[in-house]
């Protein structure tokens, strides 16, 4: 890819990963970028690096602008390996005067790379350094999404380099949001938020309040993944506010897996009844839907309805996988119910109920179990459960 000037004497020099499809369990169908930024000032400064196997891309981009050994400062906004993976090689090549990181960043760098000889310089929220014409002010953003995470703000450029926050997993030749279709960017941004940041919603609210309080003059937000917000940063700031306030709509999800179609037919009956009551519903079959896509839909839904037959006194493996993933991302403020068919033991509903209780999902019903293949009477119970769920969703507003 081409280096991109994003501000006077400030360039995107990162890497585009067109091929990656899995990001520790999150399906990224359109790849991603690892954004790094280079400030050409009296102190030449590189903000973040890239994933280890993209070292050559970073080097290629740096060489288009400078001799990389002339870099004076490195800023490590985040230690996760997609941004720091090639730090050892870069430090060996550049021999920087200083490597700036947050207090938790220092700890994480030492624990990842075991190099106490690196010239780490710890900076805290509000600390500033002068590069020459440009100043960098740091803002710690703990648990957004790691303890070490921080932002770098350059007031002279009205630029916020925001680490993982406000990013999207999408590989493009374009570098700015305004060069592509906004709707698609927002779909990627929502999926990114839902799968990476949603569990830290209270921290997002605090951060947005802090940014407002500091009255930072910002006309560009440059994340470490995806496209850069240029003049349209309010769109993503408002979306993060909405998402982190956990605003929901009148929507229910029926998330299920099936063995011999009985649980599928129950799912259809329940979803049909929810829809008939005027509540939006989506059926999400775990056999064909990736867990991370379901998380995006969960962002604004009110009811989670889980379906699995009983298999070997338990639930189907894909449901087990999904509940484990969802539990880690801590959905809040949802109501739920479970259903499923069984042959002789029938533990699945109890297991799904317990999983929901463990996630603070409010159970609306003890759950619906059907032996083998549903009868008309069983379908009537499915419809009644759907109506009950729809009523609860409407009650929430
Ligand atoms: Fe993109 Fe948390 O690393």
């Amino acid at each position: 890819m081409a280096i991109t000037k994003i501000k006077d004497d400030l360039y995107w020099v990162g890497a585009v990963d067109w091929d990656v499809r899995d990001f520790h369990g999150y399906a990224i169908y359109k790849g991603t970028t690892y954004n790094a930024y280079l400030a050409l000032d009296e102190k030449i400064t590189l903000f973040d690096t890239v994933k280890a196997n993209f070292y050559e891309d970073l080097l290629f981009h740096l060489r288009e602008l400078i001799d990389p050994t002339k870099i004076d400062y490195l800023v490590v906004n985040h230690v996760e390996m997609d941004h720091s993976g090639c730090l050892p090689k870069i430090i060996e090549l550049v021999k920087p005067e200083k490597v700036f990181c947050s207090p938790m960043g220092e700890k994480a760098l030492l624990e990842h790379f075991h190099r106490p000889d690196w010239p780490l310089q710890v900076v805290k929220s509000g600390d500033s350094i002068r590069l020459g014409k440009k100043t960098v002010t740091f803002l710690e953003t703990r648990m957004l999404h790691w303890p070490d995470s921080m932002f770098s703000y350059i007031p002279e450029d009205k630029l916020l380099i925001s680490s993982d926050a406000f990013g999207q997993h999408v590989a493009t030749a374009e570098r700015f949001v305004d060069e592509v279709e906004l709707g698609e960017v927002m779909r990627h941004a929502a999926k990114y938020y839902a799968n990476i940041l949603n569990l830290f919603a209270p921290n997002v609210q605090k951060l947005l309040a802090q940014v407002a309080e500091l009255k930072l003059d910002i006309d560009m937000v440059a994340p470490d993944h995806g496209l850069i917000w240029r003049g349209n940063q309010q769109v993503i700031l408002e979306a993060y506010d909405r998402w982190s306030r956990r605003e929901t709509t009148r929507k229910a999800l029926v998330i299920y897996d099936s063995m011999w179609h009985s649980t599928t037919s129950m799912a259809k009956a329940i979803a049909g009844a929810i829809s008939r009551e005027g509540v939006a519903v989506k059926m999400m079959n775990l056999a064909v839907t990736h867990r991370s896509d379901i998380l995006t839909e969960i962002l604004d839904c009110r009811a989670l309805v889980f379906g699995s037959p009983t298999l070997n006194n338990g639930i189907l493996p894909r449901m087990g996988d999904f509940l484990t993933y969802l539990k880690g991302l801590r959905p809040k403020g949802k109501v739920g119910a479970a259903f499923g068919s069984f042959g002789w033991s029938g533990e699945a509903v109890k297991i799904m109920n317990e999983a929901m209780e463990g996630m603070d999902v409010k159970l609306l019903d003890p759950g619906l179990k059907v032996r083998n293949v549903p009868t008309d009477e069983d379908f009537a119970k499915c419809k009644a459960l759907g109506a009950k769920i729809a009523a609860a969703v409407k009650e929430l507003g």
Side-chain angles (χ1 to χ4, degrees):
M1 284 298 109
I3 56 165
T4 307
K5 180 177 175 176
I6 66 164
K7 290 282 183 179
D8 284 343
D9 297 320
L10 216 149
Y11 292 81
W12 176 92
V13 291
V16 181
D17 188 346
W18 297 94
D19 301 335
V20 64
R21 290 293 177 270
D22 176 76
F23 207 87
H24 45 62
Y26 162 3
I28 48 178
Y29 306 115
K30 298 206 170 176
T32 194
T33 69
Y34 313 112
N35 297 339
Y37 302 98
L38 185 72
L40 299 177
D41 209 330
E42 287 167 33
K43 293 292 185 185
I44 299 176
T45 303
L46 177 64
F47 295 83
D48 296 312
T49 66
V50 297
K51 206 172 172 182
N53 53 328
F54 286 86
Y55 173 68
E56 294 301 329
D57 297 54
L58 176 62
L59 208 55
F60 185 82
H61 291 150
L62 291 172
R63 282 184 176 141
E64 287 195 42
L65 292 162
I66 50 156
D67 168 0
T69 64
K70 303 287 183 210
I71 292 173
D72 299 288
Y73 292 163
L74 300 182
V75 173
V76 178
N77 281 320
H78 181 27
V79 179
E80 194 166 6
M81 288 293 197
D82 47 335
H83 309 294
S84 70
C86 66
L87 211 48
K89 281 186 175 174
I90 284 288
I91 291 180
E92 191 184 336
L93 174 75
V94 166
K95 298 185 177 47
E97 188 183 323
K98 287 174 183 171
V99 178
F100 296 96
C101 60
S102 69
M104 294 306 284
E106 180 188 41
K107 188 171 182 291
L109 283 168
L110 290 169
E111 287 170 357
H112 277 74
F113 300 104
H114 314 290
R115 293 294 303 264
D117 56 314
W118 284 358
L120 303 183
Q121 170 119 8
V122 170
V123 286
K124 294 181 180 164
S125 273
D127 287 354
S128 293
I129 57 169
R130 275 216 79 80
L131 306 185
K133 289 185 191 140
K134 297 179 195 291
T135 312
V136 185
T137 301
F138 300 101
L139 179 62
E140 289 174 73
T141 58
R142 281 190 184 203
M143 300 319 297
L144 286 176
H145 68 121
W146 274 22
D148 62 281
S149 302
M150 69 174 185
F151 290 176
S152 297
Y153 172 59
I154 303 179
E156 295 82 2
D157 291 328
K158 301 183 182 179
L159 170 66
L160 184 69
I161 299 175
S162 63
S163 187
D164 275 338
F166 313 122
Q168 329 92 45
H169 280 314
V170 59
T172 53
E174 296 80 10
R175 295 278 72 83
F176 296 101
V177 171
D178 55 74
E179 296 174 309
V180 299
E181 199 253 311
L182 181 62
E184 192 186 353
V185 178
M186 290 309 291
R187 283 188 287 280
H188 288 297
K191 184 171 181 180
Y192 184 98
Y193 178 88
N195 282 279
I196 293 182
L197 293 164
N198 195 34
L199 75 163
F200 303 118
N203 303 48
V204 174
Q205 278 291 304
K206 272 188 219 155
L207 172 74
L208 294 174
Q210 201 180 355
V211 169
E213 196 181 309
L214 291 170
K215 294 189 167 60
L216 300 183
D217 191 6
I218 299 168
D219 71 7
M220 185 179 288
V221 173
D224 274 1
H225 294 290
L227 296 139
I228 296 167
W229 304 89
R230 173 171 63 178
N232 47 10
Q233 62 282 344
Q234 208 51 32
V235 174
I236 193 67
L237 292 171
E238 283 169 10
Y240 267 52
D241 183 38
R242 203 166 54 246
W243 294 331
S244 59
R245 277 190 283 108
R246 303 187 194 276
E247 276 186 13
T248 56
T249 58
R250 284 187 171 191
K251 176 174 140 185
L253 298 181
V254 180
I255 302 159
Y256 67 100
D257 199 359
S258 195
M259 285 168 69
W260 297 108
H261 207 68
S262 288
T263 301
T264 298
S265 59
M266 293 175 76
K268 287 180 180 175
I270 293 167
I274 294 172
S275 179
R276 263 192 300 283
E277 295 295 328
V279 168
V281 65
K282 286 192 178 177
M283 291 186 60
M284 313 216 76
N285 181 351
L286 288 163
V288 294
T289 314
H290 196 272
R291 63 177 93 82
S292 55
D293 292 315
I294 300 175
L295 260 294
T296 316
E297 292 293 340
I298 287 178
L299 206 51
D300 68 345
C301 92
R302 288 185 190 158
L304 300 170
V305 193
F306 292 107
S308 170
T310 296
L311 173 73
N312 301 330
N313 306 109
I315 51 178
L316 285 185
R318 282 184 288 246
M319 180 58 81
D321 168 292
F322 181 71
L323 291 173
T324 301
Y325 189 68
L326 180 61
K327 186 178 179 192
L329 290 165
R330 292 175 219 153
K332 295 280 180 199
K334 313 287 185 195
V335 295
F339 65 96
S341 68
F342 70 103
W344 52 94
S345 58
E347 292 89 345
V349 164
K350 181 170 176 277
I351 292 169
M352 291 184 284
N353 280 347
E354 286 171 355
M356 280 189 276
E357 284 172 332
M359 292 181 240
D360 292 329
V361 172
K362 185 183 163 201
L363 287 182
L364 296 172
D365 191 270
L368 181 55
K369 289 163 45 169
V370 165
R371 192 179 283 273
N372 287 312
V373 176
T375 61
D376 287 346
E377 195 183 328
D378 293 325
F379 281 127
K381 288 179 185 168
C382 290
K383 289 177 189 170
L385 179 60
K388 192 174 185 178
I389 292 161
V393 166
K394 288 184 194 170
E395 253 179 47
L396 290 169

